[in-house]
Amino acid sequence: MNFIKAAASAAIAAVICSCAAISATADTFGEIIGTDGQGFEFTTVDASQDAEYLKYRHELFLQAASSNSPAGRIKSDFPELCAYGSYLTHDSRFDGMDRDFCIDVSQWQSYIDWKAVKASGIDNCIIRLGVRGYGSAGTLMIDDRYFENIRNAKAAGMNVGVYFYTQAISEAEAREEADYCAAALKDYSLELPVYYDIESVDYDYGRLDHAGLSYKQKTALCSAFCDRIESYGYQSGVYANLYWLTSLIDGPSLGMNYKTWVAAYLSSINYGGIYDMWQYSSQASIDGIYGNVDISVMYDVDYSPTTALKAELDGKKLSWNKANGADGYTVYGSNDGSSFTAAGDAEGCSFDITGSNYSFYRVAAYNYFAGKRHYGHNSNNVAVKTYSEMTEGLSVKRSGIDRVMLSWQPTDGAASYEVYTTDGSSTNLVGNTAETSFEISGKNLQEFRAYVRPYNADGIGGKVSEEIELPANTPSGIPSLERVGTKLVWTNVEDADGYIVTFSGISGVGETRVDGNSFYMDEERDGTYYVQAYIMLEGRKFRSEASNTIEFKGISYPPKGELVLDAGDGELVWNKIDDAQGYVVYEISADGEEIAVAVVNGCRYATDKLTGTVYSVRAYNSKDGKDFYTEMSNKVVVSLPEVTEAKLESFSGDTAIISWDGIEDCDEYRVYVDLGKGYKLYTSVKGTMAVIAGLKDAEFASVRVKGYSCKDDVVSYGAFSNQLYMIGTEDSRPQQEVFSFEDLLK
């Protein structure tokens, strides 16, 4: 390829040498992955392959020649004149439209002080992103100052667009250039379009000039680039001069679909195609930029449809008149007639509102142009006839494998019902019926909730019902397993048809189906037991997850373990012993006689005569008609007064300090802390103050205190203090039960 043959004059050489050095920014040019996953190796511009460098050198030559001639000195104020465009005659089609100015820059402007540019009154800029080399290789190259310019221009508050100088000779290469731009733009948003700069190489011949492409083929390059860049979500545009737009590409046709930026260094232009930006000079002088810079005037062209729309509603069909030239319509819905959201799009002039739950609708026409929808005025608001009834009494039961039957009470005035399912992120209409039941089928139904909306005879929807969770094929709960001597007992699962007890041990693995909530273990078989609830559907068992496991290693007679008795609010509580079949509660008389007053299976005994009476308890089991008992537990009496006025002294970081009033004859105090899951013994102290730590991440924390003493083998307790809330209040407590000794016994 031949370059400029003539040697540069001394004047141009002097100008080039006096310019600031052109160099890459500090950004690292490496592989960058675009939004479509395409990777590009970004390399800086080779000036010998950059057609715009030829124009840059020519501009320097003209500047040097002008500054050394009388005519040039006379015209020294011309760049300032260009900056304001006062000599331009604008096309009458733009009468009454807002106008603004825009500069376009590349690395050949060297460093730019974008704050100074902004302060000068220029708000818009088009930054060169890159070029395709005009040599036969057609290398894609990034502008050396692209990343610096886009970052600093946006930081200065400029409205930013970009352009790419093409030398593509096929539609595939044009799309590749769009992918390249998208990769370089992936971290940036744009206020202005991505322009496709298509032109001949000035002062030399480029690969596009030599390609011999037809008028139609060169037009197709522009469409290929613009369509591809719009697929990434950017506005698109074509930059070309008047000759290209009228003779080498179909400018008027392109202008119907993409923004058009016309280059014509004239005081007025006569171009019949649609355009909204005119580059009228390359001689502007702008604060913050060294040397001259290209400048354009921007017209605030309205691309939206102008036809006034009138909407009306007939049953479920919203319809309106046609807007001339509209590409489509968007329907909006509102519940209050003022705040509207998009309900859907339509290509024709009607929209079915079935499934939409709005009280008002309106529509707007749009034109899709340069990667963006341009909307006309909204139509009138159309009110939906109201029907305010709500379906109630929803219930659900399994009707088969992956099938459930939803039922509800009849709704006044309802002629039909729509049934919906939702998983919280998406909602689906699964059917409609005139009955008061509907079968829903599908996998993983337990992940969904269902609701119903009634419709009257006019097709107007009422209020949606409350949502109901759909059941899985498996039971809704998991049994909780406990051992009582040789007996396993578990909690009931409401919808279970039965239970399966599984044993695993040295003797093998076995399963037993049980209808009730208990099972006797074989004393001769040591091993592990667990329980599953099941449901029968179409002859198949669907099991819940397994319960907790119970390790069984025979049974000891009498039960093995030591009982520790405690007193709560109106009840006795004690620890569980695995081998026990039950527990006997005793009152201890003044002369020491042990009087059995109750036999219980659990680990608690409630009585209204707890205060002042000494109690003890022991566990038992039976074999071959004979009972075996443990040693008696410690003796307990509630005789001390309650601890009053527990107070929070300080709270810092994750640590609280509390205090309380002392009790006469009290040996120690037990401090119980609740973090929202029940009270647990935290510490025992002899004084009337305690430090409670580890509260940094707690959302709720409360404390209660009770005193105790020990004399002659009897533990004397007092009643509990007030609940002291260290974090949160009674209303914010996750577990509303005031005190649960079950937590203490586990």
Side-chain angles (χ1 to χ4, degrees), residues 372-429:
K372 185 178 179 181
R373 290 184 178 185
H374 299 264
Y375 283 94
H377 293 295
N378 292 313
S379 72
N380 56 301
N381 293 349
V382 179
V384 178
K385 294 180 181 178
T386 59
Y387 170 56
S388 60
E389 296 298 327
M390 182 175 73
T391 298
E392 297 180 341
L394 260 67
S395 63
V396 64
K397 64 179 181 179
R398 299 174 184 86
S399 55
I401 298 174
D402 296 329
R403 301 197 312 276
V404 297
M405 183 63 72
L406 188 67
S407 302
W408 55 89
Q409 296 173 0
T411 305
D412 291 343
S416 64
Y417 304 87
E418 288 183 346
V419 180
Y420 294 85
T421 59
T422 178
D423 61 2
S425 60
S426 62
T427 299
N428 298 297
L429 173 64

Side-chain angles (χ1 to χ4, degrees), residues 513-527:
R513 188 172 67 85
V514 179
D515 292 330
N517 294 81
S518 64
F519 175 79
Y520 281 95
M521 298 178 287
D522 186 343
E523 289 188 40
E524 306 299 323
R525 294 175 59 180
D526 294 350

Side-chain angles (χ1 to χ4, degrees), residues 55-322:
K55 291 195 289 185
Y56 165 72
R57 290 181 58 181
H58 181 69
E59 290 290 335
L60 292 180
F61 177 80
L62 292 179
Q63 291 176 39
S66 297
S67 64
N68 289 294
S69 70
R73 288 192 292 274
I74 291 172
K75 296 180 178 180
S76 62
D77 62 338
F78 184 61
E80 184 175 354
L81 182 65
C82 292
Y84 295 96
S86 59
Y87 63 94
L88 302 179
T89 300
H90 301 280
D91 194 308
S92 61
R93 77 178 82 173
F94 301 122
D95 290 350
M97 292 186 186
D98 291 337
R99 301 168 190 170
D100 206 350
F101 292 95
C102 179
I103 59 172
D104 58 278
V105 300
S106 71
Q107 68 188 68
W108 306 118
Q109 270 71 49
S110 189
Y111 172 76
I112 297 174
D113 182 346
W114 284 102
K115 292 183 178 179
V117 172
K118 176 76 172 176
S120 75
I122 298 295
D123 297 321
N124 310 289
C125 64
I126 309 294
I127 296 169
R128 188 174 77 162
L129 184 149
V131 300
R132 185 185 287 275
Y134 72 91
S136 59
T139 305
L140 295 176
M141 298 177 289
I142 197 82
D143 186 288
D144 290 10
R145 290 192 179 271
Y146 161 67
F147 289 109
E148 173 190 296
N149 279 333
I150 193 170
R151 181 174 60 245
N152 292 344
K154 292 188 77 65
M158 301 288 292
N159 298 318
V160 177
V162 299
Y163 76 94
F164 185 87
Y165 188 104
T166 182
Q167 281 290 296
I169 58 175
S170 70
E171 293 181 47
E173 285 191 347
R175 286 189 287 270
E176 180 188 31
E177 290 171 346
D179 293 339
Y180 187 81
C181 290
L185 284 167
K186 69 173 185 175
D187 294 327
Y188 300 99
S189 60
L190 297 178
E191 294 76 30
L192 303 175
V194 178
Y195 285 99
Y196 195 51
D197 181 350
I198 188 166
E199 55 184 294
S200 300
V201 175
D202 294 333
Y203 319 111
D204 208 341
Y205 296 97
R207 67 198 302 266
L208 178 55
D209 301 318
H210 280 298
L213 300 182
S214 67
Y215 175 89
K216 183 177 181 180
Q217 288 173 319
K218 288 196 284 288
T219 301
L221 295 178
C222 300
S223 295
F225 177 92
C226 290
D227 289 343
R228 185 63 153 238
I229 204 66
E230 286 184 10
S231 73
Y232 289 104
Y234 298 102
Q235 295 185 69
S236 68
V238 175
Y239 168 91
N241 60 36
L242 278 175
Y243 177 68
W244 267 80
L245 288 169
T246 56
S247 301
L248 300 183
I249 58 176
D250 189 352
S253 175
L254 292 169
M256 297 294 291
N257 298 296
Y258 320 110
K259 294 287 187 77
T260 300
W261 181 12
V262 182
Y265 296 168
L266 303 166
S267 61
S268 64
I269 58 174
N270 182 19
Y271 176 60
I274 297 174
Y275 69 98
D276 64 358
M277 190 153 70
W278 169 22
Q279 187 187 75
Y280 62 86
S281 176
S282 62
Q283 299 293 307
S285 176
I286 303 296
D287 290 346
I289 300 179
Y290 178 85
N292 295 337
V293 64
D294 296 341
I295 190 166
S296 303
V297 61
M298 301 170 62
Y299 301 102
D300 187 16
V301 178
D302 187 0
Y303 297 97
S304 59
T306 58
T307 304
L309 296 181
K310 179 174 176 55
E312 57 185 23
L313 186 62
D314 182 8
K316 295 256 184 176
K317 183 180 180 181
L318 182 72
S319 59
W320 54 88
N321 56 299
K322 182 179 180 181

Side-chain angles (χ1 to χ4, degrees), residues 288-530:
I289 300 179
Y290 178 85
N292 295 337
V293 64
D294 296 341
I295 190 166
S296 303
V297 61
M298 301 170 62
Y299 301 102
D300 187 16
V301 178
D302 187 0
Y303 297 97
S304 59
T306 58
T307 304
L309 296 181
K310 179 174 176 55
E312 57 185 23
L313 186 62
D314 182 8
K316 295 256 184 176
K317 183 180 180 181
L318 182 72
S319 59
W320 54 88
N321 56 299
K322 182 179 180 181
N324 294 331
D327 292 324
Y329 305 86
T330 298
V331 175
Y332 299 89
S334 170
N335 289 320
D336 57 10
S338 60
S339 178
F340 283 82
T341 56
D345 290 332
E347 293 183 3
C349 294
S350 64
F351 182 81
D352 187 350
I353 65 170
T354 300
S356 298
N357 300 325
Y358 298 108
S359 301
F360 300 87
Y361 291 90
R362 69 188 184 195
V363 65
Y366 67 83
N367 284 326
Y368 183 80
F369 185 81
K372 185 178 179 181
R373 290 184 178 185
H374 299 264
Y375 283 94
H377 293 295
N378 292 313
S379 72
N380 56 301
N381 293 349
V382 179
V384 178
K385 294 180 181 178
T386 59
Y387 170 56
S388 60
E389 296 298 327
M390 182 175 73
T391 298
E392 297 180 341
L394 260 67
S395 63
V396 64
K397 64 179 181 179
R398 299 174 184 86
S399 55
I401 298 174
D402 296 329
R403 301 197 312 276
V404 297
M405 183 63 72
L406 188 67
S407 302
W408 55 89
Q409 296 173 0
T411 305
D412 291 343
S416 64
Y417 304 87
E418 288 183 346
V419 180
Y420 294 85
T421 59
T422 178
D423 61 2
S425 60
S426 62
T427 299
N428 298 297
L429 173 64
V430 295
N432 53 69
T433 179
E435 307 298 326
T436 56
S437 62
F438 185 84
E439 187 174 63
I440 301 174
S441 61
K443 299 291 185 182
N444 301 316
L445 291 177
Q446 72 276 11
E447 298 177 2
F448 295 87
R449 300 183 301 278
Y451 63 87
V452 175
R453 187 183 189 192
Y455 283 82
N456 64 14
D458 294 327
I460 300 172
K463 298 177 182 178
V464 299
S465 69
E466 294 183 353
E467 297 178 357
I468 188 171
E469 293 184 354
L470 300 183
N473 294 325
T474 56
S476 58
I478 303 171
S480 178
L481 184 61
E482 289 190 88
R483 173 188 167 187
V484 180
T486 59
K487 187 178 182 181
L488 294 175
V489 294
W490 54 86
T491 54
N492 183 57
V493 176
E494 185 175 353
D495 56 354
D497 291 329
Y499 302 89
I500 297 173
V501 179
T502 301
F503 165 81
S504 176
I506 298 176
S507 59
V509 177
E511 291 185 346
T512 304
R513 188 172 67 85
V514 179
D515 292 330
N517 294 81
S518 64
F519 175 79
Y520 281 95
M521 298 178 287
D522 186 343
E523 289 188 40
E524 306 299 323
R525 294 175 59 180
D526 294 350
T528 302
Y529 291 83
Y530 64 85

Side-chain angles (χ1 to χ4, degrees), residues 556-589:
S556 174
Y557 298 98
K560 184 185 296 183
E562 179 182 2
L563 282 172
V564 178
L565 185 60
D566 199 346
D569 287 339
E571 64 179 353
L572 299 170
V573 293
W574 54 89
N575 56 299
K576 177 184 175 183
I577 294 182
D578 285 340
D579 294 337
Q581 291 176 230
Y583 304 88
V584 181
V585 180
Y586 299 87
E587 289 183 6
I588 311 299
S589 66

Side-chain angles (χ1 to χ4, degrees), residues 622-683:
S622 303
K623 186 176 183 180
D624 299 330
K626 183 179 180 180
D627 293 334
F628 299 87
Y629 293 88
T630 63
E631 296 293 329
M632 197 74 75
S633 73
N634 58 298
K635 298 173 183 177
V636 166
V637 62
V638 176
S639 60
L640 298 178
E642 70 177 60
V643 174
T644 58
E645 293 301 323
K647 299 180 289 292
L648 181 64
E649 297 290 344
S650 67
F651 195 122
S652 177
D654 67 343
T655 302
I657 298 177
I658 67 168
S659 66
W660 54 89
D661 295 340
I663 301 174
E664 188 177 353
D665 297 328
C666 181
D667 293 336
E668 290 189 20
Y669 300 89
R670 290 189 176 183
V671 179
Y672 296 85
V673 174
D674 176 17
L675 299 179
K677 296 182 179 179
Y679 281 95
K680 295 183 179 181
L681 178 63
Y682 182 80
T683 187

